[in-house]
Amino acid sequence: MPTVSVRRDLLFRALGRSYTDEEFDELCFEFGLELDDITSEKDIISKEKGEGKAEGASDIVLYKIDVPANRYDLLCLEGLVRGLQVFKERINLPRYEKIIPAKGEGQRLIITEETAKVRPHAVAAVLRNITFTKERYDSFIDLQEKLHQNICRRRALVAIGTHDLDTIAGPFTFTAKAPPEIKFKPLNQSQEYTASQMMDLYRTDSHLRHYLHLIENKPLYPVIYDNNGVVLSMPPIINGDHSKISLNTRNVFVECTGTDMTKAKIVLDTIVTMFSEYCEKPFTVEAVEVILPNGKTHIYPELAYRKEKVKPELINKKIGISETPSSLAKLLTRMCLKSHVIGNGNNIEIEIPPTRADIIHACDIVEDAAIAYGYNNIQMTIPKTYTIANQLPLNKLTELLRLDLAAAGFTEALTFALCSQEDIADKLGTDISTTKAVHVANPKTAEFQVARTTLLPGLLKTIAANRKMPLPLKLFEISDIVVKDPSKDVGARNYRHLCAIYYNKSPGFEIIHGLLDRVMQLLEVPPSEENGYVIKATEG
Amino acid sequence: WRRPHEAWGERFRVAAGALPAAAMSPSVAELLLQRLEREPPGPGGGLCSLEAAAALGLDHQTLVGAVKSLQALGEVIEAEARAATRWELSAEGAEVLRDGSPEVRLFRSLPADGLPQSDAMVSRRGPQGWGGVHSQGGYGSQGYKYEWKVEEARKNLLRTHTTSASARALYHLACQDKFTPVKYFSIDRVFRNESLDATHLAEFHQVEGVVADRGLTLGHLMGTLRQFFTKLGITKLRFKPAYNPYTEPSMEVFSYHEGLKKWVEVGNSGVFRPEMLLPMGLPENVSVIAWGLSLERPTMIKYGINNIRELVGHRVNLQMVYDSPLCRLDV
């Protein structure tokens, strides 16, 4: 769940009123957010580096709000405020408008075919006559970082670049070149580097080194130039210093490049809808023409409004309420889904704005109606489903045996299904290759290299950890082991095993023999070679 | 269809002079050092860890562990990580080489006079159905609009939640000739490859409940949850909107903890999405409500246990097991 950190004072100012912490927590709960933590910069530094380092840090109160992973429109203060204000019916959702400049006057982004093998997609837009303050600027940078970490999958799918349009000149070209041929001064550096040098430069950078692998081994690296050969950025690594944004920036060129076109469009729409609030003409975005290698052109941002029709009965039925169509339309409008009743009052037309890319099916609309209604206002009912119940036979047998093993004086253990290779092989005197064990490809420690093929190591480890207990120790476990089985679709099969162990100063083979006889008696398996069980000596 | 196949290893050399004292029996580090001694010193020499592991009959990870501990001693050895890559066909690529692309396979499978699209998608239960829904949409959904890869979907994982077992059970239900309503439950083990701490282990248990019937509502889910938690002795409940990729609407269930004097999350629930159910072939008016919770967390809260290792695994204190009273929940 992404966490957004907002200043409480700015939040309440934008919301137009103050809340107590409890009141705000309640509001979040209702809306589907979680007020995870109330802290300050000073608190954060105190916790991480100790009170001494926190001297002089700000103690302005910060709210850390957890936001659902599919709500890209709530990842910044601007979006949260807008969402909450519409929810509380204090404002109407603004209408986002795309302004297409006159022919020849708009910005153009040309994509060349070299990008196809490394980072094929790009979209762009312009925020015209925007006014930044320190808070807005910080929020702008934070949103990009949040998007990078979440929908962009740590820049692998999409990378965002924002540039001061007044320092560069279009048309812009998005292409890919060999690393030694790309040379520019990256953000906040004092000299120029080639792309190859930048790979080394950023290898130790705590933030950027995680993204190097995305392009490092490719023959060509992506790069965006302006008309005069100035480098805007080398996505997904770093922007150029030349076009960096400052508090005085008035016109912003936003570009998103990536390997997933759908997400690139969503990311661009998110940034421009959130921050066009601060443009001279609020909520307007200037379009950019993107020219593909095959000559086709597209206008971005899409800022698409989509209309869906949903029957009021469907919404009522799925939730378990009975609201009138106009009441339902009002509920949906409160969730930023502008709706009104159409037909003879038996249908609702819903307009899905570009900020709600998470709405992909009627069930998403049903959920929003339920949230606006208030989950805790819905009447709780029991389904009329009539079924005859049965326990899984294997589990039923296991439950019965557990009780009788306990009655025989053995204590149950619950051990791990994953263990080290040694546990099931070397320590038991066999070779791992004979065990047909399932191996874990990416174990974090040696403790979970394989899935257990026998319950014995778990019980032995339990004894080892309880050596100080009075003797004898009599333990058992009835649980699954795993072996490879090519006939199954997942390539492995579970078997339910029973294992018992007796630990004392003297070995007590007769105790275990007795337990085995008892278990067989309970299972009606006679001691007979032909149609029952028999004990034989074994190696190892 | 192609992806780079990575093999990495470490090359290392013995630094002049420093060697640790011999241990009683040859450890992995010792064996490694003995082999290294035989190699020429300097930048051109050294050993590749992959080859050395094979020659010594050791697991590569064990050898890397020995290298790291030798490095920690100081200037005993130098090691440098290297990577080698080569291109190879992925499983999906091999499949395409053998059977043709998904487009070709669909083309070949259609009868001479065609088939309505909805039938083509439903009759092919499995990858074709889900691939279509994810990439382009279907069953009334816009879809997720990304390239769904069968190879990715076929990767074997230790399950991270028992919902995967519920999905299998629902699929078997859908394969029946006639739909019958069901109520399923499971209490079983799940696995997470995450950092371990006092409250997190690599394996723990989940409790899951599923009801599939016609006309189920969110109110039914809430009512079922209320009765379920009442049986566990939890009566004060609140529901919060949440998000799961496979349920919509989704709810987190909170209960008021008298001891901690706050609302704590006790479970997660939701109505399964049509993109999940319809490709299985379940009738369109069937809804499936489901909920889940972990076993360990509520147990630790109820018994005031702070470290999960006291509850699961081989480090559990047997005295605690001997002395525990009956667990009586709904009294």
Side-chain angles (χ1 to χ4, degrees):
Chain A
M1 249 199 167
T3 306
V4 184
S5 196
V6 294
R7 274 174 49 172
R8 185 175 64 181
D9 55 342
L10 294 179
L11 180 65
F12 288 170
R13 194 194 311 160
L15 285 171
R17 59 157 282 193
S18 286
Y19 290 83
T20 62
D21 289 342
E22 291 73 38
E23 282 171 340
F24 193 73
D25 184 68
E26 187 60 41
L27 176 60
C28 285
F29 194 91
E30 231 188 298
F31 194 55
L33 307 171
E34 198 169 328
L35 182 56
D36 187 47
D37 199 11
I38 304 170
T39 181
S40 68
E41 208 181 274
K42 203 173 199 174
D43 276 343
I44 297 173
I45 299 181
S46 260
K47 278 183 201 149
E48 278 175 27
K49 301 187 185 154
E51 287 214 26
K53 291 272 163 71
E55 276 302 306
S58 153
D59 46 7
I60 297 180
V61 176
L62 295 173
Y63 272 168
K64 286 198 179 276
I65 302 173
D66 276 349
V67 165
N70 63 339
R71 291 299 297 271
Y72 316 116
D73 62 319
L74 300 175
L75 283 177
C76 58
L77 175 128
E78 288 75 10
L80 276 170
V81 166
R82 223 172 285 167
L84 288 169
Q85 294 289 65
V86 173
F87 184 60
K88 284 306 203 190
E89 294 181 280
R90 284 201 206 101
I91 63 168
N92 290 327
L93 182 71
R95 197 160 186 86
Y96 305 103
E97 208 188 313
K98 181 167 57 190
I99 307 222
I100 302 184
K103 197 116 179 80
E105 283 185 16
Q107 296 297 333
R108 286 156 64 221
L109 176 66
I110 303 160
I111 308 180
T112 72
E113 59 181 10
E114 286 84 357
T115 60
K117 294 207 184 69
V118 59
R119 205 162 182 89
H121 306 294
V123 294
V126 170
L127 290 169
R128 220 13 114 178
N129 294 320
I130 193 171
T131 309
F132 279 116
T133 62
K134 175 99 183 35
E135 291 81 34
R136 294 176 189 179
Y137 175 84
D138 288 343
S139 185
F140 191 56
I141 302 295
D142 272 346
L143 175 63
Q144 290 176 57
E145 193 44 40
K146 286 276 173 306
L147 289 168
H148 273 156
Q149 289 308 309
N150 293 293
I151 186 178
C152 301
R153 296 281 188 283
R154 285 186 283 273
R155 302 195 193 183
L157 300 181
V158 184
I160 308 162
T162 52
H163 311 275
D164 189 329
L165 187 55
D166 299 326
T167 63
I168 45 182
F172 304 101
T173 308
F174 174 45
T175 182
K177 280 198 172 162
E181 294 172 36
I182 302 173
K183 191 169 180 183
F184 65 100
K185 185 159 77 142
L187 190 62
N188 295 329
Q189 294 292 333
S190 52
Q191 63 178 89
E192 288 198 338
Y193 293 90
T194 64
S196 329
Q197 289 170 327
M198 274 184 236
M199 289 294 135
D200 292 323
L201 178 68
Y202 291 124
R203 210 170 294 285
T204 47
D205 182 295
S206 57
H207 183 51
L208 294 175
R209 66 185 177 154
H210 302 289
Y211 310 121
L212 299 179
H213 73 277
L214 292 169
I215 56 169
E216 197 168 3
N217 294 322
K218 307 273 183 194
L220 305 176
Y221 290 2
V223 58
I224 305 181
Y225 291 102
D226 83 342
N227 199 29
N228 300 321
V230 172
V231 171
L232 270 67
S233 66
M234 186 176 73
I237 310 297
I238 190 92
N239 288 351
D241 194 73
H242 182 105
S243 55
K244 71 177 175 220
I245 303 205
S246 71
L247 291 185
N248 299 321
T249 301
R250 294 283 289 155
N251 299 298
V252 180
F253 183 72
V254 184
E255 39 89 357
C256 300
T257 58
T259 52
D260 186 319
M261 189 51 163
T262 307
K263 299 202 163 72
K265 291 194 274 195
I266 294 175
V267 168
L268 184 70
D269 279 357
T270 305
I271 297 177
V272 299
T273 50
M274 293 296 111
F275 284 87
S276 53
E277 182 177 340
Y278 305 128
C279 290
E280 199 169 69
K281 263 187 100 197
F283 308 114
T284 62
V285 185
E286 187 180 297
V288 167
E289 190 183 6
V290 173
I291 300 132
L292 300 178
N294 61 10
K296 286 216 172 88
T297 64
H298 283 281
I299 304 286
Y300 292 109
E302 281 199 345
L303 289 185
Y305 281 84
R306 206 175 86 230
K307 284 201 167 32
E308 290 284 345
K309 290 202 188 74
V310 183
K311 290 228 181 286
E313 303 94 68
L314 179 81
I315 302 179
N316 280 328
K317 231 168 54 110
K318 290 281 180 193
I319 302 174
I321 54 177
S322 50
E323 292 288 290
T324 64
S326 56
S327 165
L328 288 173
K330 226 169 139 228
L331 288 177
L332 289 170
T333 307
R334 280 176 59 203
M335 299 301 290
C336 297
L337 301 173
K338 198 152 108 77
S339 311
H340 59 273
V341 181
I342 57 169
N344 293 329
N346 58 1
N347 220 338
I348 301 179
E349 190 179 75
I350 301 147
E351 189 181 63
I352 298 159
T355 44
R356 295 301 306 270
D358 59 298
I359 306 283
I360 61 175
H361 188 280
C363 63
D364 298 288
I365 294 170
V366 167
E367 183 185 77
D368 273 21
I371 295 175
Y373 185 84
Y375 276 9
N376 295 295
N377 295 330
I378 301 172
Q379 194 192 14
M380 301 194 225
T381 52
I382 305 285
K384 292 187 174 55
T385 315
Y386 186 77
T387 49
I388 313 278
N390 271 311
Q391 196 176 2
L392 204 62
L394 181 59
N395 286 340
K396 191 160 184 182
L397 182 62
T398 304
E399 296 295 305
L400 291 170
L401 278 174
R402 285 169 73 207
L403 293 173
D404 266 281
L405 277 160
F410 281 71
T411 300
E412 193 177 18
L414 178 68
T415 63
F416 295 127
L418 298 175
C419 57
S420 70
Q421 277 188 43
E422 285 185 332
D423 284 338
I424 57 168
D426 315 56
K427 289 186 187 169
L428 297 177
T430 59
D431 189 82
I432 189 74
S433 52
T434 61
T435 57
K436 293 204 284 192
V438 173
H439 292 246
V440 176
N442 57 342
K444 272 217 162 58
T445 75
E447 284 305 302
F448 25 107
Q449 290 171 322
V450 292
R452 66 185 174 199
T453 52
T454 149
L455 296 176
L456 202 48
L459 290 183
L460 288 168
K461 285 201 256 197
T462 308
I463 295 201
N466 282 280
R467 270 184 306 235
K468 302 231 167 76
M469 294 291 294
L471 298 176
L473 288 178
K474 295 153 73 173
L475 302 178
F476 79 92
E477 186 165 10
I478 309 180
S479 187
D480 283 5
I481 60 115
V482 183
V483 285
K484 283 208 282 227
D485 184 342
S487 71
K488 297 266 287 178
D489 62 339
V490 290
R493 184 185 283 273
N494 284 21
Y495 287 96
R496 188 65 51 94
H497 275 203
L498 183 159
C499 184
I501 210 170
Y502 179 83
Y503 176 73
N504 200 0
K505 291 205 173 71
S506 57
F509 175 70
E510 71 281 8
I511 311 273
I512 290 296
H513 187 175
L515 184 69
L516 176 67
D517 285 347
R518 175 65 185 146
V519 170
M520 290 302 167
Q521 185 179 53
L522 291 168
L523 295 172
E524 288 187 290
V525 179
S528 142
E529 182 124 23
E530 301 87 48
N531 60 347
Y533 76 101
V534 75
I535 306 180
K536 286 198 169 108
T538 177
E539 291 301 315
Chain B
W1 305 327
R2 288 160 190 272
R3 56 147 201 254
H5 181 94
E6 299 209 345
W8 62 273
E10 305 210 18
R11 299 200 77 86
F12 28 81
R13 301 165 284 281
V14 177
L19 275 181
M24 292 294 276
S25 57
S27 63
V28 175
E30 276 243 312
L31 291 169
L32 175 60
L33 287 169
Q34 282 162 11
R35 272 199 82 81
L36 265 179
E37 284 241 77
R38 294 184 233 148
E39 298 295 318
L47 274 178
C48 168
S49 63
L50 285 170
E51 288 159 22
L56 287 169
L58 289 170
D59 169 56
H60 186 243
Q61 214 170 17
T62 314
L63 191 76
V64 171
V67 171
K68 299 274 183 230
S69 33
L70 284 173
Q71 278 182 303
L73 288 172
E75 292 171 9
V76 176
I77 62 168
E78 281 164 33
E80 154 200 321
R82 291 212 192 142
T85 54
R86 64 170 199 272
W87 290 96
E88 70 172 28
L89 277 182
S90 63
E92 192 177 348
E95 200 177 276
V96 171
L97 189 66
R98 199 182 56 232
D99 301 332
S101 69
E103 292 78 26
V104 162
R105 279 179 270 164
L106 178 62
F107 183 73
R108 285 189 189 141
S109 73
L110 292 175
D113 35 45
L115 197 63
Q117 187 195 8
S118 50
D119 286 356
M121 286 179 88
V122 173
S123 67
R124 284 198 151 279
R125 281 207 185 91
Q128 204 74 350
W130 281 289
V133 168
H134 278 250
S135 310
Q136 300 125 19
Y139 306 110
S141 172
Q142 298 286 308
Y144 301 93
K145 299 205 173 83
Y146 71 100
E147 212 192 308
W148 186 84
K149 293 194 172 91
V150 96
E151 167 206 58
E152 195 68 30
R154 284 219 177 109
K155 272 191 190 158
N156 269 353
L157 291 183
L158 284 167
R159 64 184 176 210
T160 53
H161 55 178
T162 45
T163 314
S164 49
S166 300
R168 272 182 185 257
L170 287 172
Y171 178 65
H172 283 290
L173 177 69
C175 289
Q176 274 175 200
D177 282 326
K178 193 157 170 280
F179 172 76
T180 53
V182 293
K183 291 182 186 146
Y184 295 147
F185 78 90
S186 88
I187 304 173
D188 216 335
R189 206 173 290 232
V190 295
F191 304 84
R192 302 251 168 116
N193 201 3
E194 283 170 359
S195 28
L196 311 178
D197 58 35
T199 51
H200 295 91
L201 282 175
E203 40 185 297
F204 55 104
H205 296 81
Q206 278 189 348
V207 175
E208 179 140 341
V210 173
V211 181
D213 198 359
R214 298 189 156 92
L216 291 175
T217 70
L218 198 58
H220 285 138
L221 175 57
M222 292 165 73
T224 308
L225 285 167
R226 203 224 323 238
Q227 295 307 323
F228 174 78
F229 280 104
T230 301
K231 290 219 172 261
L232 296 179
I234 296 172
T235 47
K236 234 164 149 185
L237 286 184
R238 267 206 322 171
F239 300 91
K240 175 175 159 288
Y243 169 68
N244 294 314
Y246 47 90
T247 57
E248 188 88 7
S250 320
M251 302 192 300
E252 272 164 17
V253 190
F254 283 75
S255 97
Y256 191 73
H257 193 275
E258 297 293 341
L260 299 170
K261 293 257 177 290
K262 63 175 187 170
W263 291 88
V264 292
E265 190 184 334
V266 292
N268 198 331
S269 64
V271 181
F272 282 146
R273 289 193 74 105
E275 292 94 337
M276 177 180 159
L277 301 175
L278 295 176
M280 287 186 196
L282 282 170
E284 231 181 278
N285 56 3
V286 168
S287 315
V288 183
I289 57 176
W291 70 96
L293 54 145
S294 89
L295 261 191
E296 282 76 7
R297 193 155 185 266
T299 313
M300 287 168 71
I301 293 176
K302 182 179 167 67
Y303 291 101
I305 299 175
N306 290 327
N307 192 327
I308 194 173
R309 281 170 191 72
E310 293 172 38
L311 205 54
V312 186
H314 50 267
R315 282 195 219 289
V316 169
N317 184 355
L318 283 178
Q319 195 65 50
M320 186 268 288
V321 182
Y322 293 162
D323 296 342
S324 293
L326 294 173
C327 178
R328 299 165 67 181
L329 291 172
D330 57 345
V331 180

